[in-house]
Amino acid sequence: LFAELMVETLALGYAPGDVPPTITALVGAMLDRLPPAVEATLEAAAVVGPAFTLERLGMLEAGDSPDAIGELSRRQLIALGEEPGAYRFAQRVTHEVTYRRVDKRQRIRLHRLLADQGVCPGQHLEAVVRLLREVGPDDPELPSLAARAARALLGEGTQALRRRDLPAAVGLLTRARDIAADAVDEDDSDEALAAIRLSDAQLMG
């Protein structure tokens, strides 16, 4: 990928000494050259995750247009997934750089839209809480959002435990316990339950 981006950048007339020196910088420069509508679609896809579907892009009002998807595919930034309407980022670094370029407040809004529509609520609410701690640590919604995230992760971790997927269970329940510790609720039952089930998963391992 670095070599391909280097050649593309030089083909645009850059002198060798002016080419960004790292893969992250080269990816950022490449994203700067995307048409605005295409870049907006890629940024929305990055919030969904390394893999995404047209349906989930539609939930974000993200311009899941065939033209934008076609252009991203032509540039080999995304590739077809295994299911109809499914895609994935062709390179992990492209996903990571694209995600970081999205304004944090915008990321919060998009993550909440996905969680509110039942798309991986644990993952997306956890992201909302993490971002809100950075940009609005005094936000009055933060405690309730942390409680929602903890319950969602607890539910997902419990399901993983029941199907004996112990690595997933340990990861999800650890995250549930940690985020529940910061949630203000009438009691600390979520944190305690997450800790108990985490112990169960660790013992089973």
Side-chain angles (χ1 to χ4, degrees):
L1 178 62
F2 184 85
E4 291 174 0
L5 290 173
M6 179 77 75
V7 170
E8 178 184 335
T9 303
L10 290 171
L12 292 171
Y14 285 81
D18 294 332
V19 174
T22 66
I23 183 63
T24 299
L26 275 171
V27 171
M30 177 268 297
L31 295 176
D32 287 336
R33 297 194 291 270
L34 291 176
V38 176
E39 183 179 12
T41 295
L42 190 66
E43 289 180 348
V47 175
V48 177
F52 60 94
T53 64
L54 297 181
E55 179 185 9
R56 291 181 179 180
L57 280 182
M59 292 177 182
L60 299 179
E61 308 161 358
D64 53 332
S65 71
D67 290 344
I69 295 298
E71 180 65 13
L72 291 169
S73 297
R74 186 186 69 78
R75 292 174 181 251
Q76 299 183 337
L77 297 176
I78 62 173
L80 286 172
E82 296 181 357
E83 302 296 330
Y87 293 85
R88 60 177 175 80
F89 278 78
Q91 301 284 345
R92 185 175 68 178
V93 66
T94 304
H95 172 255
E96 293 172 349
V97 173
T98 304
Y99 181 81
R100 289 199 298 268
R101 285 166 63 96
V102 183
D103 176 79
K104 290 181 180 180
R105 291 284 183 184
Q106 174 72 345
R107 279 188 246 167
I108 289 171
R109 187 182 74 83
L110 296 179
H111 280 302
R112 289 193 69 170
L113 277 174
L114 290 167
D116 289 345
Q117 296 179 78
V119 177
C120 303
Q123 168 193 329
H124 290 294
L125 287 170
E126 183 182 30
V128 169
V129 171
R130 183 185 67 250
L131 290 163
L132 201 53
R133 284 172 178 162
E134 296 177 12
V135 302
D138 298 323
D139 191 298
E141 280 195 283
L142 184 54
S144 62
L145 286 168
R148 285 181 60 196
R151 291 190 195 105
L153 290 168
L154 176 58
E156 293 168 15
T158 300
Q159 290 176 5
L161 182 60
R162 287 173 178 164
R163 63 176 183 267
R164 299 301 179 96
D165 185 351
L166 299 182
V170 169
L172 289 163
L173 293 169
T174 298
R175 289 155 58 193
R177 180 201 60 191
D178 292 346
I179 203 167
D182 293 332
V184 175
D185 207 341
E186 293 181 0
D187 55 53
D188 58 357
S189 59
D190 289 333
E191 182 182 359
L193 186 55
I196 291 169
R197 290 184 179 166
L198 175 59
S199 295
D200 292 341
Q202 292 170 330
L203 288 172
M204 290 170 64

